[in-house]
Amino acid sequence: MRRKMAPSLSALSLSILVAALLRPAGVDAASRVELVDNGYENVVIAISPNLPESEGPALIPIIKDLIKNASQALFTATRQRAFFRDVRILIPTSWTNTDFDEVAVFENFKESDLRVDVPSPVYQEQPYTQQPGDCRDPGDFIHFTPSYLKDKLLSYYYGPPDKVLVMEWARFRWGVYDEIGYSGDPKYPIFFSLPRESSDGRSDVQNQVEYQVNVCTNTYLQGKERMWFDETMQCHYTHEALPTDDCVFYPDVNQTATSSLMSFPLVFSDTLIEFCDEDTHNHFAKTKQNDRCDGQSVWEVMLQHSDFKGNANPAISDPEEPSIKVVRETNASYALVLDYSGSMSTADRMIKLQTAAQRWLLHEVRLYSSVAIVRFDSTATLLANLTQIGSEEDRKSLANQIHTNNNGGTSIGAGLQMAVELLEGRADKNVFLITDGEENESPMIADVMDDVISKKFCVSTMALGSNAAKDLEKLADLTKCPSYTVNDNDVSNALENAFESITTRQLSVSVQDSFIKIDETPKIQTAAPAFEGSFTVDSTVGKNLTFRLKTDAESHVTSGPSLTQPDGTPWTGAVDFDDIGNVWTIIVPMAEIGTWTWKVDLSTDSSKYIQATVHTLPRDPNEAPVITTVKFLAPATGVNPTNQSIKIMASVMKGGSPISGAHVLAFVTPPDVTQGAQEYELLDNGVGADAVKGDGIYSRYMTKFAGDGRYSIKAMVTGGSNTIANNGPPAPPTFPSAGRRRRRSADVPSRPQPCCGSSIPIDPDTATPTGNFTRISTGSSLKVIDAPPTDSDFQPPSRVNDLQVMKLYGLDEGGSILTLTWTSPGDDQDEGTGSDYTFRLSEKRSDLTNVGFQEAPESTQLQFAKSDLDESGVLAPFGTPVTFNVTFNGVLNFGIEYLVALKAEDEAGNLSPVSNVATFFLDQKLDLPDWTDELIKKLKKSNADFFSQ
């Protein structure tokens, strides 16, 4: 069997380059990492608060060595253009006996670049990068486990940590993907067939079909095929002479290939030190890199990143030695910078701000944090000096400083300047800036922005109404902190949720010490004399359950709230009342599992509101709770939806276990105060906006726009009878030995398989039902610029990524009928119903790239009657599995791999990106007797063995 790299094709490279130039820029990362004069700065490697301090003495020296070795490996892999200059190892605040160099300035676990944390049930000890975006989009974080860093055996399985970190950095920083196959994966298999091509790029039907290991290497790859759970067992083969799904490739130890690093850990060789480029890249391989990046090499994608684009950071002779500091998290310091200009009287903004800020101070801000309060109008005034929260009296004292006497102009820069002076010299410096208007007095934001950035402040911003300063998002983005918005008709508690979010993003605590929001009502206005509600306490939560009822007038609540337990008995605990924020609080030390109800008696004044929230700690320290987050995947400083797609994403995890079968609703509030929230059902099905099926990240494209402005987001996640937690892939199978079936000995671990390709493997026998649960989460806002008119059709159908050839029929008069199956895209991305399709069949992959598809020969187009689209039900709403017959009028030859792809079209003529490339062999579709099938297998296996020698 030969495993020869295919030569690169100039036409293919050209079409790929054009596609890259036409694609909009990727999403900016939330990371603070910068590449300055070839050195990466502000890199944060965080040790999880879930790990015991006893891990520290072993882990910290190992991480330091890892950084030094990985810096040199990165320098080599980037062709002397990048290395690690400035790296911080962040230890938790709970580690009180571990030496550190300084307290953390901006670093925190939740926004770290590499996390050292407990193993994931799915990935187990394997290093991985959470990467839910598209090609060139940055990843969320890199994950290493303590055992992987310390255990040499795991390095043997997954690769040496320094090279693996460079590989993961490529995913995290530049948005590239694996160049390996995965056992049993339908899109990215371990092996794939390779047609040989003649000088004109067309297949030579006289030559023997070869198959190849699904990697990208620049030389022949030597090794053997064996069953994945036992190196001694011979593989089985299909009648196409391809190894079956349970067969893997064991490369020889001694290899000569120098690329690609993205072939780790399948290709375990010291000689792999580079990424493939346009000359060495295997465009034919069925890898995630080729599929997601339209056939581009890793190096081509890297050169489109701002790190290297336009010859930025050209090669240097030698890298610097990394500067590595151990920093320890500390209690945060906050400066509330509040707008007191005259416009804050509009729509009761001043009163709403006072209420939200007071409730945050009284109930949300963490104990031992420090808070200062600054007001600004034409100038800045100090309302409260920096005060550490040590008691309830401290909270009340600060809350009472927030008044509602507003007047004058707007000098946001003056408020920021005072905040900088107040927090100068503090470690964890956070500003929460809230304003409703454009700047009209000096100093402006631009006048103080450099000072804020250089001193490493985190500035979170809140825009009230639709006229807040345009630089708010820029300020937040440059300090790598979130932006929020709330319109004047908001009933979703967006202002108070933003206050809550700036607290939870800060000091990292273990999961068991993190409060989880399990219920939240909108603001309820009713003339009824009473109101009842309910919430569900699931099996993973219930400790210190905190129910809060808020109102804008104490007199509106004629009798304080009461709770009833799931068994029907009233809860008899105390009810506390905060007369500053008008909040009733009930705390249940350990809430019974099930449905709780609450009731409150009200006046009949429908102009007043009530609003309830429920937070709780995890129930059992030995069981992880379900935790959710939600966000827009888009640039923080603004996005034009006609140029770039916007994804909405929600993560639903139980510890490291992805949750499948949850019902995830995202609510997007537009800037237009006359319009209600837009509702999106997010999906984890691996189609449309969703990158990987079953990874616990639910996605949808944003398709509805109500003009320019700021959009806010919230998600409600519910679990039910069909919701499960994925606790990992199936265990290695048993296999026969000496006439009996046995499992591999416990002291001889089976070779772990790389995870994960197009879907996350799951073992139904170990997956656990979650039962009923509810979670509420809030994300930062999105700024839309140059939005098209609401009646325009500018969005194409989403990309089809699961196209397959199911059957093939020969026609008596010549030609063939192919039966294709796929999941239908929408009219606008993944909403609605498409209107038309174009299908192509070719032997050349260059015909099926995004640009090549439109320029391919007419003979490659598959034929069908337009009427068949309607009659067959193919024009179906997004997410519908469809099957369709198309005709190929050319001649198909035995033993040739043929390639098929499609583009969907909407009624306005907008074309989707080209689909994944499906493949088939003519002989695999023949209906032959069993004995001929077995004979073909033996003959082709014999041929494969002959060519391997």
Side-chain angles (χ1 to χ4, degrees):
M1 178 187 64
R2 298 179 62 192
R3 303 177 187 91
K4 183 179 179 181
M5 296 298 101
S8 60
L9 301 175
S10 58
L12 178 61
S13 299
L14 177 61
S15 66
I16 288 170
L17 175 61
V18 173
L21 294 174
L22 291 175
R23 188 186 186 278
V27 179
D28 293 334
S31 169
R32 287 176 179 258
V33 172
E34 294 180 290
L35 185 59
V36 180
D37 295 331
N38 301 97
Y40 282 110
E41 300 179 354
N42 301 326
V43 179
V44 178
I45 299 177
I47 299 175
S48 170
N50 297 316
L51 297 178
E53 190 169 7
S54 58
E55 292 274 16
L59 276 179
I60 292 173
I62 290 174
I63 294 172
K64 289 182 176 180
D65 287 340
L66 165 63
I67 295 164
K68 294 175 183 177
N69 295 333
S71 183
Q72 184 60 55
L74 178 65
F75 188 67
T76 300
T78 58
R79 307 182 187 188
Q80 299 181 289
R81 297 180 68 169
F83 60 90
F84 293 124
R85 175 185 288 126
D86 168 39
V87 180
R88 326 297 177 78
I89 303 173
L90 179 70
I91 62 174
T93 188
S94 58
W95 286 21
T96 57
N97 295 316
T98 302
D99 292 336
F100 59 93
D101 299 309
E102 58 188 44
V103 293
V105 177
F106 63 87
E107 305 86 350
N108 66 75
F109 180 80
K110 294 178 181 177
E111 296 171 354
S112 58
D113 307 301
L114 189 156
R115 302 177 182 180
V116 181
D117 205 350
V118 297
S120 156
V122 169
Y123 290 91
Q124 300 173 7
E125 302 290 351
Q126 176 188 324
Y128 69 92
T129 299
Q130 182 164 295
Q131 198 174 2
D134 294 322
C135 184
R136 289 175 287 275
D137 288 340
D140 292 339
F141 59 84
I142 302 168
H143 182 283
F144 279 14
T145 68
S147 296
Y148 168 69
L149 291 172
K150 295 185 295 183
D151 190 337
K152 297 297 184 184
L153 178 62
L154 293 174
S155 293
Y156 169 75
Y157 286 147
Y158 300 120
D162 56 339
K163 282 191 178 180
V164 170
L165 177 53
V166 174
M167 181 177 67
E168 299 300 338
W169 187 262
R171 295 189 182 97
F172 171 74
R173 181 71 180 177
W174 306 311
V176 299
Y177 296 92
D178 288 347
E179 295 187 291
I180 61 173
Y182 305 89
S183 181
D185 194 283
K187 290 182 66 177
Y188 316 124
I190 295 286
F191 302 94
F192 72 98
S193 58
L194 179 63
R196 297 184 63 184
E197 296 198 354
S198 58
S199 59
D200 66 354
R202 297 290 169 179
S203 295
D204 181 354
V205 300
Q206 302 302 316
N207 289 321
Q208 173 67 38
V209 173
E210 303 169 5
Y211 69 86
Q212 185 181 66
V213 184
N214 198 13
V215 296
C216 185
T217 54
N218 62 328
T219 65
Y220 292 98
L221 189 60
Q222 305 296 328
K224 60 187 178 182
E225 296 94 16
R226 294 291 185 269
M227 302 299 276
W228 74 267
F229 49 85
D230 186 358
E231 281 189 59
T232 67
M233 294 186 66
Q234 296 286 337
C235 286
H236 301 221
Y237 294 82
T238 68
H239 59 255
E240 297 93 7
L242 284 170
T244 54
D245 287 343
D246 50 7
C247 180
V248 297
F249 184 73
Y250 288 84
D252 293 344
V253 174
N254 297 320
Q255 300 286 347
T256 60
T258 59
S259 64
S260 167
L261 277 171
M262 303 309 291
S263 295
F264 261 95
L266 194 148
V267 184
F268 193 97
S269 174
D270 291 339
T271 62
L272 285 189
I273 57 174
E274 300 174 342
F275 299 110
C276 283
D277 60 21
E278 61 272 26
D279 294 322
T280 59
H281 182 58
N282 184 357
H283 302 289
F284 294 93
K286 296 181 180 180
T287 61
K288 190 181 291 189
Q289 171 66 21
N290 275 336
D291 180 49
R292 301 298 301 277
C293 295
D294 200 30
Q296 291 185 94
S297 68
V298 170
W299 187 252
E300 288 173 284
V301 174
M302 290 167 57
L303 291 181
Q304 297 163 37
H305 193 279
S306 58
D307 286 351
F308 309 117
K309 189 175 183 178
N311 202 34
N313 296 289
I316 58 175
S317 56
D318 295 296
E320 301 170 24
E321 186 76 10
S323 170
I324 306 170
K325 292 182 179 179
V326 179
V327 299
R328 179 174 173 267
E329 282 192 302
T330 187
N331 295 305
S333 297
Y334 298 95
L336 293 184
V337 180
L338 310 179
D339 189 346
Y340 273 73
S341 63
S343 60
M344 287 292 289
S345 296
T346 305
D348 293 328
R349 292 170 188 164
M350 196 70 249
I351 295 173
K352 294 173 184 175
L353 174 57
Q354 179 194 42
T355 301
Q358 287 178 332
R359 289 172 177 171
W360 178 71
L361 289 165
L362 292 166
H363 304 290
E364 301 292 345
V365 66
R366 294 184 186 277
L367 197 63
Y368 307 122
S369 299
S370 297
V371 180
I373 306 172
V374 175
R375 63 161 282 170
F376 69 87
D377 42 49
S378 299
T379 59
T381 305
L382 182 64
L383 294 182
N385 213 332
L386 199 62
T387 303
Q388 186 175 54
I389 306 292
S391 66
E392 290 302 311
E393 291 306 313
D394 294 330
R395 295 179 182 276
K396 290 180 180 179
S397 176
L398 285 167
N400 283 323
Q401 302 307 310
I402 302 177
H403 58 80
T404 57
N405 301 321
N406 62 298
N407 56 61
T410 305
S411 175
I412 299 176
L416 283 172
Q417 201 167 52
M418 181 171 284
V420 169
E421 294 167 0
L422 285 167
L423 300 182
E424 187 75 49
R426 307 290 292 192
D428 193 350
K429 303 182 288 287
N430 300 273
V431 175
F432 192 22
L433 168 63
I434 306 174
T435 182
D436 77 333
E438 290 285 4
E439 302 174 280
N440 53 30
E441 299 276 356
S442 295
M444 307 287 193
I445 291 176
D447 298 326
V448 298
M449 191 175 292
D450 289 345
D451 199 26
V452 169
I453 295 168
S454 66
K455 293 178 179 178
K456 297 184 177 178
F457 277 71
C458 167
V459 182
S460 301
T461 63
M462 165 62 82
L464 300 179
S466 58
N467 298 317
K470 293 181 172 60
D471 277 347
L472 287 183
E473 285 80 9
K474 182 178 179 181
L475 179 63
D477 180 56
L478 288 173
T479 63
K480 300 303 178 184
C481 290
S483 297
Y484 303 94
T485 188
V486 56
N487 68 34
D488 290 329
N489 286 356
D490 177 68
V491 295
S492 67
N493 207 34
L495 184 53
E496 293 185 29
N497 285 334
F499 272 98
E500 181 182 318
S501 295
I502 66 165
T503 307
T504 56
R505 67 165 289 277
Q506 283 301 319
L507 185 65
S508 299
V509 295
S510 67
V511 172
Q512 296 306 316
D513 295 322
S514 300
F515 274 93
I516 301 164
K517 184 183 290 186
I518 63 171
D519 195 55
E520 179 179 79
T521 71
K523 290 181 178 178
I524 300 165
Q525 294 178 289
T526 177
F531 189 87
E532 293 186 15
S534 63
F535 57 88
T536 299
V537 176
D538 61 87
S539 62
T540 68
V541 296
K543 182 179 177 181
N544 286 354
L545 181 140
T546 303
F547 172 87
R548 288 200 174 101
L549 183 75
K550 308 167 187 179
T551 184
D552 53 347
E554 178 184 355
S555 60
H556 182 48
V557 177
T558 59
S559 178
S562 61
L563 298 180
T564 300
Q565 301 180 87
D567 63 4
T569 60
W571 173 255
T572 57
V575 180
D576 294 326
F577 179 65
D578 152 30
D579 59 359
I580 299 175
N582 289 330
V583 180
W584 284 263
T585 301
I586 302 175
I587 298 178
V588 181
M590 186 60 75
E592 181 184 344
I593 297 171
T595 301
W596 288 63
T597 57
W598 58 273
K599 181 179 179 180
V600 61
D601 294 329
L602 305 170
S603 72
T604 56
D605 186 352
S606 61
S607 68
K608 305 302 180 183
Y609 75 83
I610 57 170
Q611 193 265 327
T613 60
V614 184
H615 293 76
T616 174
L617 290 172
R619 174 177 296 271
D620 183 346
N622 298 314
E623 183 179 5
V626 176
I627 296 178
T628 64
T629 61
V630 67
K631 67 178 182 180
F632 294 110
L633 188 66
T637 52
V639 59
N640 181 335
T642 60
N643 294 335
Q644 183 168 343
S645 300
I646 302 168
K647 287 185 180 182
I648 303 169
M649 294 183 172
S651 170
V652 188
M653 307 290 289
K654 186 177 186 292
S657 298
I659 298 297
S660 296
H663 186 225
V664 183
L665 290 178
F667 302 93
V668 176
T669 302
D672 186 344
V673 298
T674 65
Q675 297 195 20
Q678 303 159 349
E679 184 177 311
Y680 296 85
E681 182 181 359
L682 310 187
L683 303 172
D684 185 17
N685 57 359
V687 299
D690 193 56
V692 179
K693 180 179 180 180
D695 64 350
I697 299 176
Y698 294 69
S699 310
R700 204 76 184 244
Y701 285 107
M702 183 175 173
T703 57
K704 298 181 280 286
F705 299 91
D708 291 359
R710 298 172 172 103
Y711 292 72
S712 62
I713 189 168
K714 177 182 289 188
M716 181 175 70
V717 182
T718 55
S721 58
N722 296 321
T723 311
I724 57 174
N726 183 350
N727 294 320
T734 59
F735 53 87
S737 177
R740 295 181 300 167
R741 297 191 65 81
R742 62 178 176 86
R743 288 195 178 271
R744 180 181 292 273
S745 172
D747 59 353
V748 183
S750 60
R751 178 188 176 101
Q753 291 303 293
C755 184
C756 297
S758 59
S759 62
I760 302 296
I762 184 171
D763 185 354
D765 293 335
T766 61
T768 54
T770 63
N772 295 331
F773 70 83
T774 305
R775 298 290 186 271
I776 307 292
S777 55
T778 302
S780 55
S781 63
L782 168 74
K783 186 176 182 180
V784 172
I785 55 178
D786 296 329
T790 55
D791 58 351
S792 63
D793 186 353
F794 66 95
Q795 297 191 85
S798 59
R799 178 180 186 249
V800 170
N801 57 14
D802 61 350
L803 177 67
Q804 294 184 62
V805 180
M806 298 300 293
K807 294 180 182 179
L808 180 68
Y809 305 93
L811 299 174
D812 293 338
E813 61 273 21
S816 304
I817 294 178
L818 287 78
T819 301
L820 307 179
T821 182
W822 68 95
T823 301
S824 61
D827 177 280
D828 297 330
Q829 300 285 8
D830 47 15
E831 293 285 344
T833 303
S835 300
D836 202 355
Y837 287 95
T838 302
F839 306 87
R840 291 195 185 276
L841 182 151
S842 178
E843 303 154 25
K844 294 176 59 179
R845 289 184 183 271
S846 56
D847 287 341
L848 303 181
T849 63
N850 273 308
V851 174
F853 193 95
Q854 301 304 110
E855 301 172 350
E858 185 177 350
S859 60
T860 64
Q861 186 162 334
L862 298 173
Q863 305 301 313
F864 61 92
K866 295 290 185 182
S867 59
D868 290 345
L869 288 176
D870 287 316
E871 294 173 3
S872 64
V874 168
L875 300 181
F878 166 77
T880 305
V882 296
T883 301
F884 191 57
N885 290 333
V886 291
T887 301
F888 178 64
N889 292 323
V891 177
L892 297 176
N893 294 287
F894 287 92
I896 298 297
E897 181 190 49
Y898 290 98
L899 318 175
V900 180
L902 66 80
K903 279 194 173 188
E905 186 174 345
D906 68 10
E907 58 189 6
N910 298 309
L911 293 173
S912 73
V914 70
S915 70
N916 67 295
V917 177
T919 63
F920 71 93
F921 283 90
L922 179 59
D923 60 357
Q924 77 185 45
K925 304 303 173 185
L926 295 179
D927 186 13
L928 299 174
D930 291 342
W931 67 268
T932 58
D933 189 52
E934 291 299 319
L935 178 60
I936 289 172
K937 290 181 183 179
K938 291 178 181 179
L939 289 173
K940 291 193 172 182
K941 176 63 171 60
S942 177
N943 284 340
D945 290 341
F946 172 78
F947 281 104
S948 68
Q949 301 174 33

